[in-house]
Amino acid sequence: MKNNLLTHNIMIHPKLADALNAQIAQELTASYSYLGMSTYFDEQSLDGFASWMLNQHNEEQEHAMKLLTYLQDRGGSVSLAAIPSPRVTFSTPLEVFKISLEMECENTKSINELYELALKLNDHATKSHLQWFLDEQVEEEKSMEDVIALLERIGDDTAGLLYMDDKLGQRKAEEE
Ligand code: FEO
C-alpha cells in the first residue's frame, strides 16, 4: 500500500491529507460518543437502544478506517489525534438523539468541506471516495430524525418507549 513507482503521480496534496486526518479524528470522536451513549442506555436497562448505539459506534470506526486506508493508499501521512472522553450521562433518550443529530449535521458539514477542498485541488480520486460518505450522511441524519420523531410522539409513555427499545434492538449491522 505504501509508495511505489507511481507515487509521484498519486501522492495526495498535504492540505487534503491534513483534512483527511481531521476527518478521521472526527469519525473516531463520533464513535467514542456513541459508545458513551450506549453505556447510558445500558444503565437505563434499555438494551435495544444500547445495542443500536453500539452498532453506531462500530459504524463510525469503520468510517474512520475507510478514510485511514485511503489516506495510506494515497501515500499520505497518518496523524492520530487524541480523542476526548465522551459524555455518559444524559437526561432523556430524546436528548441523546438530539445530540446525535447535531453531531451528524456537523459531520455532514465537514465532509462537504472536505469534498470542496478535493474539488478545488482537482483530486478526482478523493472526490470519488468521498461520494460514499456524502450518501451515508443522508442516511445517518435521516435515521436520527426518525428516532427523534418517534420519541417526541411517545413523550412520557413507558410502554411506547419499551416498544421502541424492542424495535431498535432488532437493527442489524448489515442493514445500516
Ligand atoms: Fe461517520 Fe455518522 O458519520
Side-chain angles (χ1 to χ4, degrees), residues 22-33:
Q23 189 61 37
I24 290 166
Q26 183 149 344
E27 302 286 349
L28 290 173
T29 301
S31 175
Y32 211 18
S33 297

Side-chain angles (χ1 to χ4, degrees), residues 27 56 60 63 104 107 137 140:
E27 302 286 349
Q56 201 67 22
E60 298 299 352
H63 297 173
E104 290 302 335
N107 207 34
Q137 283 310 118
E140 295 270 87

Side-chain angles (χ1 to χ4, degrees), residues 157-170:
D157 177 15
T158 306
L161 186 65
L162 294 178
Y163 173 76
M164 262 197 85
D165 187 54
D166 192 50
K167 291 258 319 168
L168 292 186
Q170 292 167 19

